[in-house]
Amino acid sequence: MNNWFKILAVAVLLMLGMGLGHAADANAQLGDAQMWAELKEGAVGYTTSTSEFHGQPINTYDPRLLEARGTWLAPGLMAALFGMIVVFALFIMVNGISKLHHGFSGKMVYRWSKLDVSIHWLGAIPCLLLILTGLVLLAGRFFFQPWLGEGVWAGLVYAAKQVHDVMAIPFMIGWALMTLMWAKNQLPKMYDIKWFMVVGGYINFGPFKNQHPDAGFANAGEKMWFWTFALFGLVISASGMLLLFPNLFEPSRTLSLTALILHGISAIIICAFSIVHIFMATVMSEGGMECMVSGYCDENWATQHHNLWFDEIKANGSLKYKD
C-alpha cells in the first residue's frame, strides 16, 4: 500500500511539474510576443552608445528591399554586362565597323591633353574592376557559386570585396574630375538631334549608309554617355560612401538597403553604357582608340566624326599636329 501511495505521489508531482513548466513556457512565449510587438512598434531601451539609433533595439526594414537584390539587381547586372557584349558582337557581325572613308591620313591632330588622358584612365580602370568585382559580390552566389568549390568561392568573394573597396576611391576621384573638367564640351546642341536620327552614321546599310552627321568636340552619343556617367556616378559614389563607411554615417538598416538598391541600379546602368562606350572606342570606330592612348586623332577621323570641332580649331588657330 505504501508503495502504491509513493508511486501515486510521484506521478502527481510529475504532472504538477509538467503543468507548471507548460505554464511557464506559455507565459514566456506570451512575454516574448509582447516584447517583440512592443519593439516593432518602436519601443526604446537604454544603452551607453551614442549612435543615432542607440535607443532602438531592433532596426526594422522593408524586406522587399532585400528581396530585390537577388530578384532584380543580380540578373540585371549580368544582363547589362554579358547581354550588351552579345548584342554588340552580333551587331558588328551583321553591320561591320565604321571605317575611315579616306583611310588614315598620317596627320595626327591634338585632341586631349596628357592630363585628360590620365584622368580618363584614372576613372576607367577602377570602373572596369568595380563592375567585375561588383558582379561577383552582387550576383556571384546566384550564378557562380554553384559551379565553384566552397574554398574557391570564399577566396573569390574575399578578393572581390578587397578590390572593390580599394578601387572605389580612385573611381570617385576620376568621376569628379571628368565631370567638372569635361562638362563644358558636353552641352547639348540642336545638331545632336540629327546625329541620333541617323544613328551617328555607324549603320552600313539602307538609308543610313554613309551618313555622317555634324558633331562638335563630342558627338550626341558621347554626350549622352557623359551625362549618364555624371548622374549615376554621383548616385553610385554617394551610396558607395555610405556603404563603405557605415561607422562614419551610421545609417539605419532601411537607409543601408536603400543605398544598396540605388548602388545596384546605378551599377547596371553604368555597366551597360560602359560596354557601349568600350565597343565604340575600340571596335566600331576605326582610329577612335588612339584618342585616349596618345591624346591625338587622325585628321581624317576628326573630319569624319567631329567635323564641326575640326573646322572650329582650324578657324581659331588652335589646330596642332603631332610632330
Side-chain angles (χ1 to χ4, degrees):
M1 187 71 175
N2 288 338
N3 290 337
W4 284 105
F5 179 77
K6 291 178 180 179
I7 292 172
L8 181 61
V10 169
V12 170
L13 289 174
L14 287 173
M15 293 178 63
L16 181 61
M18 292 175 63
L20 291 173
H22 284 306
D25 289 342
N27 288 333
Q29 292 176 3
L30 181 62
D32 289 344
Q34 182 178 356
M35 178 184 69
W36 286 112
E38 291 176 355
L39 289 173
K40 289 180 179 180
E41 290 296 325
V44 297
Y46 172 78
T47 177
T48 57
S49 169
T50 58
S51 167
E52 178 184 353
F53 307 100
H54 68 270
Q56 186 175 334
I58 293 181
N59 201 341
T60 58
Y61 63 93
D62 188 340
R64 291 174 298 180
L65 293 173
L66 195 58
E67 293 169 4
R69 183 178 186 271
T71 305
W72 300 105
L73 297 185
L77 189 56
M78 288 286 290
L81 178 58
F82 298 109
M84 290 303 296
I85 291 175
V86 171
V87 167
F88 255 91
L90 293 174
F91 176 76
I92 291 172
M93 288 174 61
V94 173
N95 181 80
I97 69 171
S98 177
K99 289 185 172 293
L100 295 177
H101 294 324
H102 302 291
F104 289 96
S105 68
K107 298 179 181 179
M108 302 301 292
V109 178
Y110 177 81
R111 180 167 170 81
W112 295 99
S113 69
K114 291 182 179 179
L115 176 60
D116 288 322
V117 172
S118 300
I119 290 173
H120 171 267
W121 292 112
L122 175 64
I125 293 174
C127 183
L128 291 176
L129 292 173
L130 288 170
I131 288 172
L132 295 175
T133 54
L135 186 71
V136 172
L137 297 173
L138 180 62
R141 64 191 179 98
F142 302 104
F143 298 98
F144 306 140
Q145 185 179 8
W147 307 97
L148 301 174
E150 289 301 318
V152 174
W153 170 245
L156 180 61
V157 171
Y158 177 80
K161 180 65 168 62
Q162 300 307 309
V163 173
H164 203 81
D165 290 351
V166 171
M167 287 294 104
I169 302 302
F171 168 79
M172 286 187 279
I173 295 173
W175 162 80
L177 291 173
M178 282 188 278
T179 301
L180 293 173
M181 294 177 61
W182 297 354
K184 63 180 182 297
N185 288 322
Q186 308 294 330
L187 299 177
K189 303 291 184 181
M190 287 301 298
Y191 51 74
D192 290 332
I193 298 175
K194 175 68 179 298
W195 192 96
F196 282 118
M197 290 176 63
V198 298
V199 200
Y202 289 97
I203 305 297
N204 293 329
F205 55 84
F208 299 106
K209 187 175 182 179
N210 295 329
Q211 294 284 335
H212 294 290
D214 292 335
F217 184 86
N219 62 43
E222 291 168 337
K223 291 176 182 179
M224 183 169 69
W225 159 233
F226 174 85
W227 292 113
T228 298
F229 181 73
L231 174 61
F232 289 98
L234 173 62
V235 176
I236 209 168
S237 297
S239 58
M241 286 292 290
L242 191 146
L243 295 170
L244 193 58
F245 302 108
N247 293 333
L248 178 62
F249 298 102
E250 296 186 340
S252 66
R253 179 65 170 166
T254 296
L255 181 57
S256 294
L257 287 174
T258 301
L260 183 64
I261 298 299
L262 293 176
H263 199 77
I265 292 173
S266 300
I268 290 171
I269 295 171
I270 287 179
C271 178
F273 272 86
S274 294
I275 298 302
V276 175
H277 178 67
I278 292 169
F279 265 94
M280 295 299 292
T282 61
V283 181
M284 276 299 298
S285 179
E286 187 178 39
M289 185 62 183
E290 184 63 27
C291 294
M292 278 305 171
V293 175
S294 67
Y296 289 83
C297 66
D298 189 88
E299 185 177 66
N300 286 346
W301 184 90
T303 57
Q304 182 170 313
H305 294 289
H306 297 274
N307 61 311
L308 297 181
W309 165 70
F310 188 68
D311 291 342
E312 180 184 352
I313 60 175
K314 282 196 301 183
N316 63 23
S318 60
L319 172 62
K320 291 193 299 183
Y321 289 102
K322 188 175 183 179
D323 296 332

